[in-house]
Amino acid sequence: MISAKYVNRDLSWLEFNRRVLEEAQDPETPLLERVKFLSIVSSNLDEFMSVRVAGIHDQIRLGYHKKDFTGYTPSGLLKRLMKRTNKAVTDQYRTYRELIRSLHKEGLVFTTFDDLNNTQQKAMQVYFDEIVFPVLTPMAVDQSRPFPLVHTNELYLAVVLQRKHEWSDGSKETDQDLFFAVVQVPSILPRYIHVPSRTNSKKQEFILLEDLIKVHIEMLFSGYIPVAVHGFRMTRNADLTLDEEGAEDLLEEIEKELRRRRWGVPVRLEVESGMHPYALQLLKEEFEIMEHVFTIDGPIDLSFLMKFAMSLQNVDHLRFPKLDPVYPEELADAEDLFQVLRTKDVLMYHPYESFDAVNDFVCQAADDPEVLAIKMTLYRVSGNSILVQALARAAESGKQVTVVVELKARFDEERNIAWARQLEKAGCHVVYGLVGLKTHAKITLVVRREQSMLRRYVHVGTGNYNENTAKLYTDAGLFTANPVIGEDASLLFNEVTGYSAPHDWQAFGVAPTELKDKLIMKIEREMKWAAEGKEAHIIAQVNSLSNQEMIDHLYAASQMGVRIDLIVRGVCCLRPGVPGLSENIRVISIVDRFLEHSRIIYFKNGGDEEVYLSSADWMTRNLTRRIELMCPVIDKALCKSLIQMLQLKLRDNVKARELQLNGTYARVRQDGRPCRSQFEAMQIEAWKVMPVRV
């Protein structure tokens, strides 16, 4: 029996991706932004298949039949997921065709080789001969040449051939007379090619790389005639299986697992519509995948649309207006950031405020002769990270630099390995965290000598130290020189890098030891206030909510009369509006221009309001298998700013969807003035309360 109390995590995720697809379908969204949302739908689904669906496959293979707390067995859940995924893919490609027509009207045309004029065809012939052909490798499949390794989520062409001297009489071929080969569409080349413009035409024309290869496929198989050429892509299980306790060198063990990832078990096969039956059967047999075969009516893998939309020039009218993040006013005129932070805490909210302040904080610490030590956690960093360069510079100048690099950040493992080696080479003390736990906390500690004392400066945030995603994600960060937070920060790093036992934290909540207990205690405190007849209120913004124990405590609080507002971007297993259970709980999800990524928790606390920044979502993995951090915002003015930001999001009636009793989402009704929270938040004064200058 399916639970009436909980929404299944994976079905909830599909609902989230549906909300992203709705943004691609929204005619009020600028056209190229819609194209980007469609790309995100594709990328999201790739990760979902390679991790979540792959994990369910593993459970089924191991004979696991137990129901989860939402009432699903692995096999029952898989059937439902695949049914919904098939429908979602159909909707995705219907949206793609609509967007292609809209792009055409704007003079941005995806065309075919046959539709090009002679001049354009000659240019594409030269491009193929000089750029594409040299990197193509035809791989025949026969008794002497086994099926080649097919990499996960890479695009290939399945080529069915016959010898030229055969079938001259026009008779029908049989499978015994056909030959099969595979050609990888080279991922090192752009997926789309800008075709030279026609004379006196303002249109920009593009041709897909695989279409250009198909037209010239005969050049790869002299003596053979192509019978059919169709694209395919296979998705493998991408989850790493690590024996951390048995690994002598975690970095080397992860590198081995990354090499093994290319041999992961196939979980999905995508094939182009109309694929030759002979080729399709060969692929199914080779990958041992008969059920999860998706027939794609359009280009396989639409993730390339992100680069396409970002690469176009002179089409700003098809994009959101440019946002120029402002430098935090409290720090804007400061030559010495430390001098400002000695007098007051500073709150930042990205992307409306610039991540440059974080870079400047670390860079100043790296170059300041009075700074003795810098300690920092890195989970996902950008490709050309200013922070990594600053940390290396600090170590080379003789400072004590400790960097906790999370090597197991999914799909960023290789980049983080490269950063770890670069930092070690510069003289940094690089730590890979604790066995069995991912380090997901976002914190930087700077220890500075000031006259006869040492002072600690801390930055904590809800998002990664990545200047690129800080322009695309909403995240909050706090600078503080508060000595209590500084002491907790030192103890946290000692626990991660050394043998220190778990501490009784003065300010922090830290997973996996006691963060969940601290959250539950604060929920129960709101229940106590409600029992005493006082207003009790909880607001929590997280990316996902799936931990059963946390959900059950929120249900209990609702039954006691605590008002609960949840802003959950993605997965939410809590079911609001259940009579006698969750009538006082409201759940909204905001999907808009920026990815909602903040984790901000508010407790009314009988009028003595508390606000926390956190790195942790309310998922079992975050609360029990990761090093996570929750930090209080002590300055009351900064607390008020965050409360106003949360209230702004709760008022959103343009891009907010509300979770319904049946597990689906519906757009919030517009009663009164339209409120689009992200656009209003661009006006900093709409939410930020400036602290009193000392």
Side-chain angles (χ1 to χ4, degrees):
M1 178 180 173
I2 305 307
S3 172
K5 290 178 62 176
Y6 309 104
V7 178
N8 178 268
R9 168 181 171 172
D10 296 305
L11 293 172
S12 180
W13 185 91
L14 287 177
E15 280 290 315
F16 162 66
N17 214 33
R18 161 65 60 185
R19 297 194 291 280
V20 180
L21 179 59
E22 287 175 358
E23 291 303 303
Q25 297 168 336
D26 188 350
E28 298 298 317
T29 299
L31 181 56
L32 289 181
E33 305 298 340
R34 294 172 65 188
V35 170
K36 288 159 68 174
F37 275 116
L38 193 63
S39 170
I40 294 168
V41 170
S42 185
S43 300
N44 284 350
L45 190 57
D46 285 349
E47 183 171 346
F48 180 72
M49 295 297 298
S50 63
V51 178
R52 295 299 306 171
V53 172
I56 297 170
H57 271 284
D58 287 344
Q59 291 179 339
I60 294 171
R61 270 196 301 272
L62 293 171
Y64 189 83
H65 303 298
K66 186 178 178 181
K67 292 182 179 180
D68 64 17
F69 74 95
T70 66
Y72 283 94
T73 63
S75 58
L77 177 60
L78 186 62
K79 289 178 183 177
R80 192 157 186 183
L81 289 175
M82 289 303 99
K83 183 178 180 180
R84 290 200 186 181
T85 301
N86 266 303
K87 183 180 184 305
V89 170
T90 299
D91 291 345
Q92 178 187 2
Y93 277 87
R94 185 177 65 250
T95 305
Y96 168 77
R97 291 187 290 274
E98 292 172 359
L99 291 178
I100 289 297
R101 288 193 291 270
S102 298
L103 288 169
H104 198 137
K105 292 177 183 177
E106 294 289 343
L108 303 169
V109 180
F110 278 93
T111 187
T112 64
F113 189 83
D114 290 341
D115 287 337
L116 302 177
N117 63 28
N118 289 335
T119 302
Q120 291 174 313
Q121 286 188 352
K122 288 178 181 178
M124 289 299 95
Q125 182 69 56
V126 171
Y127 183 88
F128 179 83
D129 292 341
E130 296 183 356
I131 305 297
V132 182
F133 183 78
V135 297
L136 295 178
T137 303
M139 295 174 285
V141 178
D142 54 30
Q143 289 181 334
S144 63
R145 288 168 289 198
F147 207 99
L149 172 64
V150 171
H151 296 280
T152 187
N153 289 336
E154 294 281 352
L155 183 60
Y156 292 81
L157 297 178
V159 187
V160 179
L161 304 154
Q162 64 185 39
R163 287 196 177 95
K164 278 187 176 179
H165 66 272
E166 296 177 354
W167 315 118
S168 57
D169 60 356
S171 59
K172 188 176 181 180
E173 78 272 13
T174 66
D175 286 358
Q176 287 76 21
D177 304 308
L178 297 176
F179 298 86
F180 181 77
V182 171
V183 177
Q184 183 175 2
V185 178
S187 57
I188 58 172
L189 298 179
R191 180 75 182 278
Y192 55 92
I193 305 155
H194 197 165
V195 181
S197 299
R198 301 171 191 263
T199 305
N200 299 324
S201 174
K202 294 182 179 180
K203 290 183 178 179
Q204 298 186 59
E205 294 183 78
F206 305 87
I207 187 171
L208 290 175
L209 178 58
E210 62 265 31
D211 290 344
L212 185 62
I213 296 171
K214 288 177 184 178
V215 171
H216 298 90
I217 198 71
E218 198 167 351
M219 293 178 62
L220 297 171
F221 301 98
S222 59
Y224 291 82
I225 297 174
V227 174
V229 186
H230 290 95
F232 73 92
R233 190 173 74 135
M234 191 262 296
T235 302
R236 296 181 183 274
N237 186 330
D239 228 6
L240 299 183
T241 304
L242 293 172
D243 177 16
E244 293 187 49
E245 293 188 3
E248 293 184 10
D249 188 317
L250 183 59
L251 187 147
E252 289 184 4
E253 184 66 22
I254 290 177
E255 287 183 312
K256 290 177 185 177
E257 276 298 316
L258 289 175
R259 289 191 289 270
R260 285 195 286 267
R261 181 183 272 174
R262 67 186 66 174
W263 296 98
V265 176
V267 294
R268 175 184 61 170
L269 175 63
E270 297 168 279
V271 299
E272 200 175 339
S273 179
M275 176 171 276
H276 194 287
Y278 177 62
L280 181 58
Q281 187 61 29
L282 272 175
L283 293 175
K284 286 181 176 181
E285 291 175 357
E286 173 61 28
F287 301 138
E288 298 180 353
I289 186 167
M290 297 297 169
E291 293 184 343
H292 306 321
V293 179
F294 292 77
T295 301
I296 304 300
D297 187 12
I300 295 174
D301 181 15
L302 298 179
S303 62
F304 76 91
L305 291 172
M306 180 64 74
K307 284 186 178 179
F308 170 75
M310 295 177 68
S311 67
L312 297 173
Q313 298 180 348
N314 302 318
V315 287
D316 286 347
H317 64 289
L318 301 180
R319 297 188 172 100
F320 285 128
K322 184 179 179 182
L323 171 67
D324 290 318
V326 301
Y327 204 88
E329 183 180 341
E330 303 93 326
L331 304 174
D333 299 326
E335 294 185 8
D336 182 353
L337 299 185
F338 298 130
Q339 183 178 2
V340 175
L341 298 180
R342 282 195 292 274
T343 63
K344 59 176 171 288
D345 295 352
V346 175
L347 173 72
M348 292 190 306
Y349 206 97
H350 313 298
Y352 317 114
E353 293 182 296
S354 175
F355 192 80
D356 288 346
V358 179
N359 288 337
D360 291 346
F361 174 70
V362 177
C363 286
Q364 182 177 323
D367 299 329
D368 187 340
E370 300 303 322
V371 169
L372 305 181
I374 305 172
K375 302 183 180 186
M376 190 173 190
T377 60
L378 293 180
Y379 191 76
R380 300 185 196 275
V381 292
S382 60
N384 187 28
S385 174
I386 293 172
L387 296 174
V388 171
Q389 296 170 24
L391 292 171
R393 191 167 68 248
E396 288 166 351
S397 69
K399 292 178 171 58
Q400 295 291 316
V401 179
T402 302
V403 188
V404 182
V405 178
E406 181 46 70
L407 298 182
K408 302 184 292 296
R410 186 177 289 136
F411 303 121
D412 276 337
E413 298 95 344
E414 291 181 81
R415 176 181 291 175
N416 285 4
I417 287 171
W419 286 133
R421 289 197 164 126
Q422 180 178 328
L423 290 166
E424 284 181 331
K425 187 176 180 180
C428 298
H429 179 207
V430 179
V431 180
Y432 304 137
L434 298 176
V435 171
L437 300 174
K438 281 188 179 181
T439 303
H440 194 247
K442 328 294 185 183
I443 182 169
T444 301
L445 170 65
V446 172
V447 181
R448 189 173 187 269
R449 179 175 49 217
E450 295 178 359
Q451 297 176 349
S452 60
M453 61 173 287
L454 297 181
R455 191 187 301 270
R456 300 179 181 94
Y457 297 88
V458 177
H459 173 270
V460 294
T462 67
N464 299 310
Y465 286 113
N466 186 317
E467 50 254 48
N468 292 333
T469 56
K471 299 172 185 175
L472 305 172
Y473 295 6
T474 70
D475 272 306
L478 175 72
F479 290 115
T480 181
N482 184 288
V484 173
I485 291 177
E487 288 176 22
D488 272 5
S490 289
L491 293 172
L492 177 62
F493 278 104
N494 290 345
E495 186 172 314
V496 174
T497 63
Y499 287 113
S500 296
H503 299 277
D504 292 326
W505 307 99
Q506 299 179 76
F508 286 174
V510 177
T513 52
E514 51 83 69
L515 174 56
K516 183 172 67 173
D517 291 341
K518 182 167 282 191
L519 287 168
I520 288 172
M521 180 272 291
K522 292 182 182 299
I523 293 171
E524 291 175 343
R525 187 181 61 187
E526 292 300 312
M527 295 166 63
K528 174 177 170 290
W529 290 121
E532 294 177 5
K534 294 187 177 180
E535 182 183 359
H537 191 193
I538 298 170
I539 307 175
Q541 178 176 7
V542 291
N543 295 326
S544 298
L545 168 58
S546 61
N547 180 264
Q548 184 181 5
E549 191 174 356
M550 291 297 297
I551 293 171
D552 287 344
H553 277 84
L554 291 172
Y555 283 156
S558 171
Q559 291 171 289
M560 287 292 294
V562 178
R563 181 160 62 100
I564 301 171
D565 288 299
L566 302 176
I567 306 165
V568 185
R569 184 194 76 225
V571 170
C572 182
C573 297
L574 180 147
R575 196 182 296 274
V578 178
L581 181 71
S582 54
E583 293 165 302
N584 290 315
I585 303 178
R586 178 178 184 242
V587 180
I588 66 166
S589 171
I590 297 172
V591 179
D592 200 352
R593 173 176 179 173
F594 305 115
L595 182 80
E596 289 289 335
H597 194 255
S598 307
R599 290 97 166 186
I600 306 171
I601 319 299
Y602 163 82
F603 298 98
K604 183 74 172 179
N605 189 29
D608 186 13
E609 298 172 311
E610 294 180 349
V611 181
Y612 296 84
L613 300 183
S614 180
S615 62
D617 291 315
W618 289 2
M619 306 175 73
T620 300
R621 70 181 189 192
N622 298 88
L623 299 174
T624 64
R625 299 194 299 273
R626 290 186 173 189
I627 297 173
E628 301 276 12
L629 174 63
M630 184 175 75
C631 175
V633 179
I634 295 172
D635 184 288
K636 292 301 181 183
L638 303 188
C639 283
K640 189 173 181 181
S641 291
L642 288 169
I643 294 168
Q644 290 186 176
M645 176 63 84
L646 291 172
Q647 290 172 339
L648 177 61
K649 294 179 191 222
L650 291 171
R651 291 197 303 272
D652 194 307
N653 57 13
V654 177
K655 290 299 181 180
R657 283 86 162 174
E658 188 165 354
L659 178 56
Q660 307 298 297
L661 182 61
N662 64 1
T664 63
Y665 286 75
R667 288 187 180 272
V668 174
R669 289 176 52 191
Q670 281 196 19
D671 293 327
R673 182 181 72 85
C675 176
R676 190 171 180 175
S677 58
Q678 289 190 0
F679 280 34
E680 294 200 14
M682 293 179 191
Q683 306 301 318
I684 303 298
E685 61 273 12
W687 58 271
K688 194 163 190 177
V689 178
M690 295 298 295
V692 178
R693 293 186 180 274
V694 177

